Amino acid sequence: MINVQNELLSPLEQVQENVTEKAVQSVEMLFVNEFTDGILDPAENMLGPLKDGGTIIANIAPGCWGPMMTPAIRGGQEVTKPVRIEGAEVGDSIVIEIDSIKVTSSATASGVDQQIVDRFIGDPLLKVKCPGCGKLHPQTVVRSVGAGAIRCATCDTDTAPFKMVNGYTMALNHKRGMGLTIGREAARKIGQKAHAFMRLPEQSVQNHSVSLAPSDLVGVMTRIRPFIAEIGTMPSKAMPASYNAGDTGIPLIGASHEFSFTKEELDNHRTDGHLHMNRIREGAVLICPVKVTGAGMYIGDLRAMQGDGLLAGHSTNVSGIVQLKVSVLKKVAIDSPILLPNIDDLPFLAKPFTKEEKRIARDLADEYGVKQLEEAFPLSFVGTGECIKSATENALNCATKLLELSQEEVKNRATIAGGVEIGRYPGAVTVTAQFPKSMLKNARIFKYVKKQYDC
């Protein structure tokens, strides 16, 4: 039906008007396989909009080594284009429920990085310069297999700004949940058929990490437990995705390039989507701040496994398909994400109590005159900063602000009914504790906490 205003338009204008109206209609399900060039910019158009409570199915590209060896990608990450969530306004939060994760790569390569100083200006993730022809952000091609495989498309010079120090290639049997680091010849064979093993999404432009064929570690067994390392919402000022945190964003403070921030600006604009926390896996729930209209939810950097702390700086980046449910939490303003991990991933002291444990506690209450037991549930506050101490302070501040508690009480609760866990060294942690149901209700997040832990 054409409205009165449309009747004043020409037939061609009416068609264009109707197409525009249809184009902005929200959808219940959105398939995402488009990527940024590594920069999160609130001025850029978003995908969607997705309806409140809708589902995102995304084909995620690997992070870290592939994008780091691709100068056309800035910031060292190739994350999905952000999605507009219907009804999400500044001062709200969004709730991301991770329904499923499926790894599609059957091999990966990683290791500790070392910068090559003559191949960048200032920042090796943001301003790569070909040492041969001098081009900035040169287009590259993969010529062969091995450490010098990434070449400038113009002058054929080895132009990757990093090299691997103690690197490895890992074969994956994701159906059986095991990974194994392999030797030189097997690594080179995988590198020669990189696409078949890495299964990059069609619109990904990164070079394959397995093309480097590192093999310093051989025969190391490990378990696969995939998680999403990059997940969150659009910062309110343009920045590289891999700098969207209080620790990794420090190089932006006072920088000479266009993404320069003050410390105050970084804290105000970041949304901590660059997390590297291995508990953000299938079954977990993440509550994220909204700092731009529509939220701009994005994901990337799927990993096959990672130990707490990420001491190597990098881990097993893979391609994969994830399914997420995204809902808007109105008028719940938070500064940093809140994580509801799977019960198995909670600190021992923060796990929900069994019926038998509650019975024993009631006996103690009767014996010592405690009239009522506290009904409490676990909650993990994310904090980031230049070191573990400042990251912990950040998480404590987020908890005290949301739950209207003193910092001293949060510290006590985390000490006897929770814990501090390091997601990434030097400065990404979670502070977890059991908090009373009444506080969670007042904070308007109890619905999701109860759904996750009321078992």
Side-chain angles (χ1 to χ4, degrees):
M1 181 175 180
I2 299 176
N3 60 34
V4 174
Q5 183 177 358
N6 278 357
E7 288 178 352
L8 301 177
L9 303 175
S10 69
L12 177 59
E13 289 173 328
Q14 289 175 13
V15 170
Q16 292 173 336
E17 183 78 8
N18 290 335
V19 168
T20 300
E21 288 178 0
K22 290 180 181 179
V24 298
Q25 288 180 350
S26 58
V27 295
E28 289 282 359
M29 181 175 288
L30 185 66
F31 179 70
V32 178
N33 68 343
E34 298 179 54
F35 302 93
T36 71
D37 62 353
I39 305 300
L40 297 170
D41 187 350
E44 295 291 330
N45 291 332
M46 301 182 194
L47 303 177
L50 181 77
K51 286 186 178 179
D52 181 5
T55 296
I56 290 175
I57 297 175
N59 193 2
I60 301 181
C64 287
W65 276 106
M68 284 165 52
M69 306 294 275
T70 310
I73 298 174
R74 305 184 68 188
Q77 294 290 342
E78 190 177 34
V79 300
T80 62
K81 285 189 176 179
V83 174
R84 179 181 294 275
I85 310 301
E86 183 181 54
E89 302 291 340
V90 176
D92 296 337
S93 298
I94 62 167
V95 181
I96 305 170
E97 300 174 64
I98 305 175
D99 292 333
S100 67
I101 297 176
K102 180 182 178 182
V103 175
T104 53
S105 297
S106 54
T108 184
S110 189
V112 176
D113 74 73
Q114 185 177 96
Q115 299 175 2
I116 305 176
V117 294
D118 66 337
R119 300 183 185 182
F120 62 90
I121 301 173
D123 190 321
L125 293 178
L126 289 176
K127 208 160 189 178
V128 179
K129 181 188 73 171
C130 174
C133 63
K135 279 194 173 183
L136 292 177
H137 316 299
Q139 294 297 314
T140 53
V141 293
V142 180
R143 292 295 189 198
S144 58
V145 175
I150 313 300
R151 320 292 293 188
C152 174
T154 301
C155 68
D156 200 37
T157 300
D158 180 3
T159 193
F162 297 92
K163 64 179 180 180
M164 281 191 190
V165 180
N166 200 273
Y168 55 87
T169 299
M170 182 180 292
L172 304 169
N173 187 331
H174 44 79
K175 290 183 179 179
R176 295 187 175 183
M178 287 297 293
L180 179 70
T181 61
I182 59 178
R184 181 176 182 274
E185 290 307 314
R188 291 186 67 82
K189 287 179 180 178
I190 286 175
Q192 290 165 355
K193 298 181 179 179
H195 181 73
F197 282 91
M198 290 296 289
R199 307 289 295 179
L200 294 185
E202 286 80 0
Q203 298 196 48
S204 170
V205 299
Q206 67 178 262
N207 296 316
H208 296 90
S209 63
V210 294
S211 298
L212 304 178
S215 58
D216 294 311
L217 289 179
V218 182
V220 177
M221 298 182 291
T222 188
R223 299 178 181 92
I224 294 175
R225 191 168 77 167
F227 72 100
I228 306 170
E230 291 267 355
I231 180 168
T233 51
M234 176 77 76
S236 48
K237 182 179 177 180
M239 69 172 68
S242 58
Y243 291 76
N244 185 17
D247 55 341
T248 59
I250 289 174
L252 301 183
I253 297 175
S256 59
H257 51 68
E258 66 268 37
F259 300 110
S260 178
F261 285 72
T262 65
K263 175 67 164 61
E264 183 180 10
E265 285 176 330
L266 180 65
D267 290 342
N268 288 338
H269 292 292
R270 64 182 169 90
T271 58
D272 286 350
H274 187 65
L275 287 178
H276 289 154
M277 293 180 175
N278 57 22
R279 294 182 292 154
I280 305 176
R281 64 186 184 97
E282 186 174 309
V285 177
L286 193 66
I287 304 174
C288 300
V290 174
K291 295 193 175 181
V292 299
T293 300
M297 188 250 153
Y298 68 94
I299 45 180
D301 197 1
L302 188 63
R303 301 189 171 195
M305 77 285 292
Q306 178 191 295
D308 289 346
L310 185 59
L311 286 180
H314 306 284
S315 187
T316 48
N317 312 111
V318 289
S319 304
I321 297 171
V322 302
Q323 181 170 318
L324 314 165
K325 180 180 178 182
V326 186
S327 306
V328 178
L329 201 51
K330 297 299 294 182
K331 297 181 180 179
V332 176
I334 57 178
D335 295 323
S336 247
I338 298 170
L339 177 61
L340 308 181
N342 293 311
I343 289 176
D344 288 347
D345 294 341
L346 286 165
F348 173 73
L349 297 178
K351 293 180 187 293
F353 297 107
T354 66
K355 290 181 179 180
E356 177 61 15
E357 288 172 325
K358 291 178 181 178
R359 186 192 66 76
I360 296 170
R362 279 193 296 269
D363 289 344
L364 282 169
D366 291 342
E367 182 179 354
Y368 289 94
V370 178
K371 294 182 179 179
Q372 187 174 356
L373 294 177
E374 181 178 273
E375 187 178 3
F377 294 80
L379 207 59
S380 295
F381 288 89
V382 172
T384 65
E386 58 265 34
C387 63
I388 297 300
K389 182 179 184 295
S390 61
T392 304
E393 288 289 331
N394 178 219
L396 289 170
N397 289 338
C398 292
T400 59
K401 181 178 177 181
L402 179 69
L403 301 177
E404 298 181 344
L405 290 174
S406 70
Q407 192 173 108
E408 290 74 19
E409 180 173 339
V410 177
K411 287 179 177 180
N412 273 333
R413 288 181 175 277
T415 299
I416 64 173
V420 177
E421 295 173 291
I422 300 173
R424 174 182 59 234
Y425 182 84
V429 305
T430 53
V431 172
T432 303
Q434 291 257 359
F435 295 101
K437 174 181 176 180
S438 58
M439 292 182 184
L440 300 177
K441 279 192 168 183
N442 289 340
R444 298 188 295 277
I445 63 172
F446 179 66
K447 170 185 173 182
Y448 294 99
V449 178
K450 177 179 172 62
K451 180 180 177 182
Q452 184 77 336
Y453 298 124
D454 192 18
C455 54

